[in-house]
Amino acid sequence: MGRSGVRGERSRPSGRDGSTARAGDLGWDESLYEGPGSGGDTPPGPDGRRPAQGHRHKGPRAKRRGFRILRWAVGTLAVLVLATAGAGYLWYRHLNSNIKTDKLNIGEHKAPAPTPNAAGQTPLNILLIGSDSRNSKENLKLGGSKESVGAAPLADVQMLLHLSADRTNMSVVSMPRDTLAQLPKCTDPKTGKVYEATTTRQMVNTSLGRGGPGCTVATWEEITGIHIDHFMMVDFSGVVSMADAVGGVPVCVDANVYSRNSLGEGSGLKLRKGTTSVKGEQALAWLRTRHGFEDGSDIARAKAQHMYMSSMVRELRKNATFTHPNKLRTLAEKATDALHVDDDLHTVKKLYDLSNELKKPEPDRITMTTMPFVYVGARVAPKANDADALWRLIREDVSLDGKDKDKKKAKDEVSDDPAAPDDKIAVQVSNGTRTATTAAVPGRASQVAQALVAEGFTKSVPDQTQSLAEEKTVLRYPSSDLEGDAQAVAKSLGIPLSSVKKSTDVSGVTLIVGADWKTGNAYPKSGADEDAGKALDKEQTQNGADDSKCMKVEPGYTWS
């Protein structure tokens, strides 16, 4: 092939008919690099005149100019991409710097982490804390008096958000701020100050002033035995800024309401009867209102907070906030600036990943309720049996809407390994009734070992050397040839076969009596078999998809 007659110019590819293909034929429009039609860069022809517009001579200078402009455009685009990426990175770093963090649990004991389900999934438990701190001009302006400045903050809003292991449902349980309980020993991670465990019952909202949110987490784990994975805390100004960024949230009252009495008590909330979209300071007033709702108690306030949260979830699902870049940017800015979280949620990515998990349940699978309680004077305390039943449902990852009971339970798989005669099966029984908040039940291993002997398992012996912490009773065996033996032991005591597990941590059939079996010789029915509805106060329970509810206005707080 001969060389091109133009220096530096290579042969053009040929078209289908053998003719030289033009740039335009290949999809390249050279006119993009030409001037506005003056022909100023086109060399004159033999007659000294430049070609007319539209018939310009595409000589080497025009060609080189096209390549120069192309290189400039590509270079500029690269700079813009890098600049944008740089700005995005800087903004990401800025958002990360907004986030305030603290240690998750600063108590002495930790509740055991839940056992993964058959698919290897575990639930998520997040403690939501609303602080009444007035140690800033913004917070003081939004509530309280100057006398409150410098005082220890109070955890006036406490909600446990439980996301099921399979991510199909969510439970939100409030604990009233004036719940009385003994508070655990906590050590302030910043100052090293030690707050000893209280010997008398105190209001749980004071836990926040005992070293920070990590002590509120420790208090919840002490009361409930529920392992908490994260906490999120927000103060007055944070609520206002977040409410503004999210946009209006519809709430409803059954009469005109004004939360203010002759003594000046109340949030100042003023709404007309019916549904109103609240945001900013009005949203904060709704969340703080006690005087004016129902009986004027903290219980009524929790119900109003549940109503707001349910409505906000529905709004976020249908709102365009997350498809509008500027609104999304504003929300990200406000959220990271408002939130105070545990150390493991220290980046925007961590928060984003968590938010993706939290949005998986549909609103109709979200149940919000308040801890069952009894009045103790003007305060409240957990209602012994009912509160315990609720905490057990959460620990065992049972949905509070009762829909889990509709699922068909997988049948326990019976082993093909034949069991030895009962009196030939050696069983070691260990005491695993110790929890993060309670000591082991004395003599429990001996009691259950004696029950096994009575059932014919005469080689059953208690292990007196150690006290373990096992939330649920479990039977472990080291090899497949002992599976049948382990299942025989389980059947004799009424332990489900799903609790019989192979493990190299044991050398023989080993029964660990868990915290779920503290008394009696027969294994109790699992809390999962309970009707979830029995543990709930229907008056204090709301479904996340129900938009028909209105708060009842307390007599004396209406206006016309």
Side-chain angles (χ1 to χ4, degrees), residues 185-256:
K185 179 180 179 180
C186 292
T187 303
D188 190 322
K190 295 184 176 67
T191 66
K193 181 177 179 178
V194 176
Y195 296 84
E196 296 295 339
T198 63
T199 56
T200 59
R201 294 190 299 179
Q202 308 291 326
M203 286 172 57
V204 294
N205 67 343
T206 62
S207 60
L208 186 59
R210 294 164 54 84
C215 192
T216 304
V217 169
T219 300
W220 268 78
E221 292 201 356
E222 181 104 356
I223 294 172
T224 68
I226 296 169
H227 174 81
I228 294 175
D229 300 282
H230 300 292
F231 74 76
M232 292 183 173
M233 184 170 72
V234 65
D235 58 16
F236 288 168
S237 60
V239 170
V240 171
S241 63
M242 282 286 290
D244 277 336
V246 170
V249 173
V251 294
C252 180
V253 288
D254 69 353
N256 294 348

Side-chain angles (χ1 to χ4, degrees), residues 189-490:
K190 295 184 176 67
T191 66
K193 181 177 179 178
V194 176
Y195 296 84
E196 296 295 339
T198 63
T199 56
T200 59
R201 294 190 299 179
Q202 308 291 326
M203 286 172 57
V204 294
N205 67 343
T206 62
S207 60
L208 186 59
R210 294 164 54 84
C215 192
T216 304
V217 169
T219 300
W220 268 78
E221 292 201 356
E222 181 104 356
I223 294 172
T224 68
I226 296 169
H227 174 81
I228 294 175
D229 300 282
H230 300 292
F231 74 76
M232 292 183 173
M233 184 170 72
V234 65
D235 58 16
F236 288 168
S237 60
V239 170
V240 171
S241 63
M242 282 286 290
D244 277 336
V246 170
V249 173
V251 294
C252 180
V253 288
D254 69 353
N256 294 348
V257 61
Y258 180 47
S259 177
R260 187 75 75 200
N261 61 21
S262 59
L263 300 176
E265 297 171 326
S267 68
L269 177 72
K270 190 172 185 179
L271 294 176
R272 290 189 178 276
K273 177 181 178 179
T275 300
T276 304
S277 185
V278 297
K279 64 179 181 178
E281 292 186 30
Q282 200 174 36
L284 175 64
W286 175 276
L287 294 169
R288 294 185 62 211
T289 294
R290 179 165 61 89
H291 298 284
F293 285 159
E294 298 192 347
D295 60 356
S297 69
D298 197 46
I299 308 304
R301 171 162 49 191
K303 183 184 289 187
Q305 291 167 352
H306 294 161
M307 185 180 293
Y308 179 90
M309 287 183 64
S310 297
S311 183
M312 183 173 67
V313 168
R314 293 192 299 269
E315 286 301 299
L316 288 176
R317 282 179 174 268
K318 68 182 182 182
N319 204 308
T321 298
F322 294 113
T323 60
H324 193 292
N326 288 335
K327 289 184 178 180
L328 181 59
R329 182 185 180 98
T330 300
L331 183 59
E333 183 78 38
K334 297 296 185 182
T336 53
D337 193 48
L339 289 175
H340 189 147
V341 297
D342 63 275
D343 291 336
D344 196 42
L345 292 178
H346 64 289
T347 67
V348 174
K349 184 181 184 306
K350 294 265 190 174
L351 289 170
Y352 176 77
D353 289 344
L354 180 60
S355 71
N356 280 338
E357 294 297 298
L358 296 178
K359 70 183 182 183
K360 289 179 179 179
E362 293 296 325
D364 66 348
R365 294 302 313 277
I366 299 175
T367 305
M368 299 188 179
T369 192
T370 297
M371 174 196 77
F373 64 90
V374 292
Y375 280 103
V376 181
R379 311 299 181 198
V380 302
K383 190 174 183 179
N385 294 332
D386 292 350
D388 289 344
L390 177 59
W391 304 141
R392 184 166 61 252
L393 290 171
I394 298 292
R395 289 195 301 268
E396 297 185 9
D397 196 26
V398 179
S399 70
L400 298 187
D401 59 14
K403 293 182 180 178
D404 278 354
K405 65 183 180 181
D406 295 332
K407 297 179 181 178
K408 291 183 179 179
K409 295 183 179 180
K411 292 183 178 180
D412 290 331
E413 187 174 344
V414 179
S415 174
D416 292 333
D417 174 52
D422 294 350
D423 61 352
K424 302 296 183 183
I425 299 176
V427 185
Q428 178 174 281
V429 184
S430 296
N431 188 345
T433 57
R434 177 170 56 83
T435 70
T437 59
T438 59
V441 177
R444 191 68 187 126
S446 295
Q447 293 168 7
V448 176
Q450 290 170 10
L452 277 172
V453 170
E455 290 289 331
F457 295 88
T458 54
K459 288 190 174 182
S460 299
V461 294
D463 179 4
Q464 308 285 13
T465 64
Q466 58 181 337
S467 171
L468 305 175
E470 198 78 44
E471 182 169 358
K472 297 186 71 174
T473 297
V474 63
L475 258 161
R476 296 192 173 106
Y477 61 94
S479 55
S480 298
D481 61 326
L482 290 176
E483 183 179 17
D485 293 357
Q487 288 196 354
V489 174

Side-chain angles (χ1 to χ4, degrees), residues 515-526:
D516 60 341
W517 189 15
K518 292 186 176 182
T519 61
N521 292 338
Y523 183 70
K525 288 185 177 181
S526 169

